[in-house]
mmCIF file of all heavy atoms in Angstrom:
data_model
loop_
_atom_site.group_PDB
_atom_site.id
_atom_site.type_symbol
_atom_site.label_atom_id
_atom_site.label_comp_id
_atom_site.label_asym_id
_atom_site.label_seq_id
_atom_site.Cartn_x
_atom_site.Cartn_y
_atom_site.Cartn_z
ATOM 1 N N ILE A 81 -79.578 47.415 -52.607
ATOM 2 C CA ILE A 81 -79.369 46.175 -53.357
ATOM 3 C C ILE A 81 -80.464 45.159 -53.036
ATOM 4 O O ILE A 81 -81.021 44.526 -53.942
ATOM 5 C CB ILE A 81 -77.988 45.568 -53.025
ATOM 6 C CG1 ILE A 81 -76.866 46.494 -53.483
ATOM 7 C CG2 ILE A 81 -77.844 44.198 -53.689
ATOM 8 C CD1 ILE A 81 -76.792 46.714 -54.968
ATOM 9 N N ARG A 85 -83.221 43.876 -55.803
ATOM 10 C CA ARG A 85 -83.225 42.448 -56.118
ATOM 11 C C ARG A 85 -84.594 41.846 -55.853
ATOM 12 O O ARG A 85 -85.097 41.036 -56.635
ATOM 13 C CB ARG A 85 -82.156 41.721 -55.292
ATOM 14 C CG ARG A 85 -82.078 40.231 -55.589
ATOM 15 C CD ARG A 85 -80.942 39.568 -54.828
ATOM 16 N NE ARG A 85 -81.096 39.706 -53.391
ATOM 17 C CZ ARG A 85 -80.201 39.272 -52.503
ATOM 18 N NH1 ARG A 85 -79.083 38.688 -52.932
ATOM 19 N NH2 ARG A 85 -80.399 39.421 -51.215
ATOM 20 N N PHE A 90 -82.642 43.497 -60.823
ATOM 21 C CA PHE A 90 -81.416 42.853 -61.268
ATOM 22 C C PHE A 90 -81.690 41.729 -62.264
ATOM 23 O O PHE A 90 -80.929 41.522 -63.204
ATOM 24 C CB PHE A 90 -80.640 42.307 -60.071
ATOM 25 C CG PHE A 90 -79.984 43.360 -59.242
ATOM 26 C CD1 PHE A 90 -80.076 43.342 -57.861
ATOM 27 C CD2 PHE A 90 -79.271 44.389 -59.838
ATOM 28 C CE1 PHE A 90 -79.463 44.328 -57.094
ATOM 29 C CE2 PHE A 90 -78.655 45.366 -59.076
ATOM 30 C CZ PHE A 90 -78.759 45.349 -57.709
ATOM 31 N N GLN A 158 -71.975 43.941 -49.155
ATOM 32 C CA GLN A 158 -72.165 42.980 -50.242
ATOM 33 C C GLN A 158 -72.231 41.559 -49.697
ATOM 34 O O GLN A 158 -73.020 40.739 -50.165
ATOM 35 C CB GLN A 158 -71.012 43.105 -51.238
ATOM 36 C CG GLN A 158 -71.120 42.197 -52.450
ATOM 37 C CD GLN A 158 -72.271 42.565 -53.349
ATOM 38 O OE1 GLN A 158 -72.571 43.739 -53.533
ATOM 39 N NE2 GLN A 158 -72.930 41.567 -53.909
ATOM 40 N N VAL A 161 -75.769 41.115 -48.039
ATOM 41 C CA VAL A 161 -76.860 41.000 -49.009
ATOM 42 C C VAL A 161 -76.678 39.767 -49.895
ATOM 43 O O VAL A 161 -77.642 39.274 -50.489
ATOM 44 C CB VAL A 161 -76.950 42.285 -49.863
ATOM 45 C CG1 VAL A 161 -75.914 42.310 -50.961
ATOM 46 C CG2 VAL A 161 -78.345 42.455 -50.439
ATOM 47 N N GLY A 162 -75.428 39.267 -49.994
ATOM 48 C CA GLY A 162 -75.206 38.056 -50.759
ATOM 49 C C GLY A 162 -75.617 36.815 -49.997
ATOM 50 O O GLY A 162 -76.164 35.871 -50.570
ATOM 51 N N GLY A 244 -68.941 38.188 -50.730
ATOM 52 C CA GLY A 244 -70.146 38.824 -51.263
ATOM 53 C C GLY A 244 -70.413 38.444 -52.704
ATOM 54 O O GLY A 244 -71.561 38.190 -53.089
ATOM 55 N N ILE A 245 -69.358 38.393 -53.507
ATOM 56 C CA ILE A 245 -69.515 38.006 -54.910
ATOM 57 C C ILE A 245 -69.866 36.525 -55.027
ATOM 58 O O ILE A 245 -70.702 36.130 -55.846
ATOM 59 C CB ILE A 245 -68.216 38.311 -55.686
ATOM 60 C CG1 ILE A 245 -67.986 39.821 -55.740
ATOM 61 C CG2 ILE A 245 -68.273 37.730 -57.091
ATOM 62 C CD1 ILE A 245 -66.646 40.216 -56.313
ATOM 63 N N LYS A 246 -69.237 35.698 -54.201
ATOM 64 C CA LYS A 246 -69.482 34.254 -54.237
ATOM 65 C C LYS A 246 -70.919 33.926 -53.835
ATOM 66 O O LYS A 246 -71.554 33.047 -54.435
ATOM 67 C CB LYS A 246 -68.497 33.544 -53.305
ATOM 68 C CG LYS A 246 -68.681 32.038 -53.250
ATOM 69 C CD LYS A 246 -67.679 31.399 -52.302
ATOM 70 C CE LYS A 246 -67.872 29.891 -52.221
ATOM 71 N NZ LYS A 246 -66.888 29.261 -51.269
ATOM 72 N N TRP A 247 -71.439 34.605 -52.833
ATOM 73 C CA TRP A 247 -72.763 34.302 -52.313
ATOM 74 C C TRP A 247 -73.905 34.997 -53.070
ATOM 75 O O TRP A 247 -75.054 34.569 -52.994
ATOM 76 C CB TRP A 247 -72.861 34.711 -50.845
ATOM 77 C CG TRP A 247 -72.011 33.900 -49.926
ATOM 78 C CD1 TRP A 247 -71.576 32.609 -50.126
ATOM 79 C CD2 TRP A 247 -71.478 34.291 -48.646
ATOM 80 N NE1 TRP A 247 -70.822 32.186 -49.060
ATOM 81 C CE2 TRP A 247 -70.751 33.194 -48.133
ATOM 82 C CE3 TRP A 247 -71.579 35.459 -47.880
ATOM 83 C CZ2 TRP A 247 -70.112 33.242 -46.901
ATOM 84 C CZ3 TRP A 247 -70.931 35.511 -46.649
ATOM 85 C CH2 TRP A 247 -70.208 34.420 -46.177
ATOM 86 N N PHE A 248 -73.584 36.048 -53.796
ATOM 87 C CA PHE A 248 -74.650 36.896 -54.347
ATOM 88 C C PHE A 248 -75.479 36.160 -55.396
ATOM 89 O O PHE A 248 -74.952 35.449 -56.252
ATOM 90 C CB PHE A 248 -74.058 38.144 -54.972
ATOM 91 C CG PHE A 248 -75.099 39.126 -55.451
ATOM 92 C CD1 PHE A 248 -75.819 39.888 -54.538
ATOM 93 C CD2 PHE A 248 -75.370 39.271 -56.786
ATOM 94 C CE1 PHE A 248 -76.789 40.774 -54.963
ATOM 95 C CE2 PHE A 248 -76.339 40.160 -57.228
ATOM 96 C CZ PHE A 248 -77.038 40.909 -56.314
ATOM 97 N N LYS A 249 -76.792 36.356 -55.327
ATOM 98 C CA LYS A 249 -77.749 35.838 -56.314
ATOM 99 C C LYS A 249 -78.542 37.013 -56.874
ATOM 100 O O LYS A 249 -78.937 37.897 -56.149
ATOM 101 C CB LYS A 249 -78.681 34.821 -55.659
ATOM 102 C CG LYS A 249 -77.965 33.550 -55.183
ATOM 103 C CD LYS A 249 -78.951 32.546 -54.606
ATOM 104 C CE LYS A 249 -78.235 31.279 -54.149
ATOM 105 N NZ LYS A 249 -79.181 30.293 -53.558
ATOM 106 N N TRP A 250 -78.762 36.947 -58.191
ATOM 107 C CA TRP A 250 -79.424 38.060 -58.862
ATOM 108 C C TRP A 250 -80.918 38.116 -58.585
ATOM 109 O O TRP A 250 -81.550 39.145 -58.797
ATOM 110 C CB TRP A 250 -79.194 37.961 -60.369
ATOM 111 C CG TRP A 250 -77.761 38.109 -60.752
ATOM 112 C CD1 TRP A 250 -76.838 37.114 -60.929
ATOM 113 C CD2 TRP A 250 -77.061 39.337 -60.956
ATOM 114 N NE1 TRP A 250 -75.618 37.642 -61.251
ATOM 115 C CE2 TRP A 250 -75.712 39.016 -61.281
ATOM 116 C CE3 TRP A 250 -77.432 40.690 -60.922
ATOM 117 C CZ2 TRP A 250 -74.758 39.969 -61.560
ATOM 118 C CZ3 TRP A 250 -76.475 41.654 -61.195
ATOM 119 C CH2 TRP A 250 -75.159 41.294 -61.506
#
Side-chain angles (χ1 to χ4, degrees):
I81 296 296
R85 181 176 60 183
F90 287 134
Q158 182 67 37
V161 79
I245 294 172
K246 179 180 179 181
W247 292 334
F248 185 74
K249 295 183 179 179
W250 296 93

